[in-house]
Amino acid sequence: MKDMLQLRSVDVGHGGDPLVSDIHLGLDGGQCVALIGVNGGGKSTLLNTIAGLRKPMAGEMLLNGADIVRMRSSERARQVSIVLTGRPQAGLLDVRTIVGLGRQPWTGRFGGLVETDRAMVEEAMRVMDVGHLASRSLQHLSDGEAQRVMIARAMAQDTPLLLLDEPMAFLDLVNRVRLLRTLREQAQARHRLIILSTHDLQTSLDLCDRVLLIHDRKLWSGTVEEARASGVLERVFAGEGIRFDPVAGSFRPH
């Protein structure tokens, strides 16, 4: 069986030189995958490229055997959803309406929701624990609440691939743990592939299934167990003021 997502000899970046080069990657559904690395290494650029928002500088990206770059935008919206960093400008739209916009790729040209769509919107809000905010406008929510709403919108979009750029940036430790547990449960229950970039190294190691690590313009990929045992975490973060303790399986101040 082929992996859901395949990257073959892919370079990503902008301008003349790639930020990450010669990426060979295969990932199947049912997994929550952490994308980590130091600032400026290319995490956001890689996610944007996989989402089809930026063309790769080289190589081929396949999702369920179809070339992501060659997909029509309407088809890509049914296959890939992405939540970017930053707070969206949504005016006075309420939460239920915003989450409902995730159903646009599946509705008719006039965007009317049928019962099935409305049920998926309600389920997405329940999963992300924003149902009690349904009638409130996004601009009156905290940053953390707004982030959960945008993830609910992506879940309502019901795509096999979900990409999240720093989804835990505005959350405290308890809510970061809750979010990652929810994402992992959703990946397994719906056989989704969820890839999220994050700076929360420890929570990612504790709760994600696999690790993608950008370092020195290359992408390392492996299970969490392989990341802990391989020595790659010690090497990459040795000069960042923290060190990885392979015995304890955790990061410590250096």
Side-chain angles (χ1 to χ4, degrees):
M1 182 181 295
K2 291 183 178 179
D3 290 318
M4 177 185 289
L5 177 67
Q6 298 178 68
L7 273 60
R8 301 172 176 171
S9 302
V10 169
D11 293 354
V12 302
H14 37 80
D17 296 323
L19 286 171
V20 191
S21 62
D22 197 28
I23 300 171
H24 293 268
L25 180 66
L27 295 171
D28 204 359
Q31 300 183 94
C32 186
V33 181
L35 173 61
I36 63 177
V38 298
N39 280 336
K43 297 187 299 295
S44 296
T45 301
L46 177 57
L47 290 179
N48 277 270
T49 303
I50 294 173
L53 303 179
R54 178 189 295 275
K55 287 187 177 180
M57 300 177 71
E60 183 180 45
M61 305 184 301
L62 303 178
L63 181 60
N64 288 323
D67 190 321
I68 294 174
V69 174
R70 295 178 182 272
M71 286 180 185
R72 294 171 58 183
S73 58
S74 58
E75 174 59 22
R76 191 161 55 236
R78 294 186 174 198
Q79 299 297 321
V80 186
S81 51
I82 184 168
V83 179
L84 301 172
T85 54
R87 192 185 183 102
Q89 299 300 313
L92 295 176
L93 291 180
D94 63 49
V95 166
R96 181 175 279 110
T97 301
I98 290 170
V99 177
L101 292 174
R103 297 302 300 157
Q104 279 189 327
W106 303 96
T107 59
R109 71 185 283 190
F110 298 109
L113 302 184
V114 299
E115 188 58 36
T116 303
D117 298 311
R118 288 190 287 269
M120 297 193 75
V121 169
E122 295 300 320
E123 174 64 9
M125 290 194 296
R126 183 196 67 78
V127 167
M128 292 309 303
D129 193 25
V130 295
H132 62 292
L133 305 173
S135 61
R136 293 177 59 184
S137 65
L138 192 72
Q139 69 176 3
H140 293 141
L141 303 184
S142 69
D143 288 336
E145 289 170 335
Q147 187 78 334
R148 297 206 316 271
V149 169
M150 298 313 295
I151 297 173
R153 172 181 166 172
M155 286 190 172
Q157 196 172 331
D158 195 29
T159 58
L161 176 59
L162 172 56
L163 307 171
L164 305 171
D165 196 3
E166 292 290 345
M168 299 184 289
F170 303 116
L171 302 179
D172 58 30
L173 177 58
V174 171
N175 284 300
R176 291 200 299 269
V177 170
R178 286 176 177 169
L179 174 61
L180 270 187
R181 282 178 173 161
T182 297
L183 293 175
R184 192 177 188 188
E185 289 168 0
Q186 287 294 300
Q188 294 172 348
R190 304 185 67 86
H191 198 64
R192 271 187 181 134
L193 174 58
I194 300 178
I195 305 175
L196 60 103
S197 66
T198 180
H199 290 289
D200 189 336
L201 305 176
Q202 192 59 56
T203 305
S204 300
L205 289 181
D206 290 340
L207 294 173
C208 287
D209 300 295
R210 296 186 66 87
V211 173
L212 305 179
L213 174 56
I214 294 176
H215 177 61
D216 197 22
R217 298 179 184 258
K218 298 295 180 182
L219 183 74
W220 182 93
S221 171
T223 65
V224 170
E225 292 75 17
E226 290 168 341
R228 284 176 166 150
S230 66
V232 65
L233 297 173
E234 295 99 306
R235 293 194 301 273
V236 171
F237 294 102
E240 300 300 318
I242 58 174
R243 67 180 181 88
F244 181 75
D245 183 340
V247 177
S250 61
F251 287 92
R252 305 284 178 88
H254 183 60

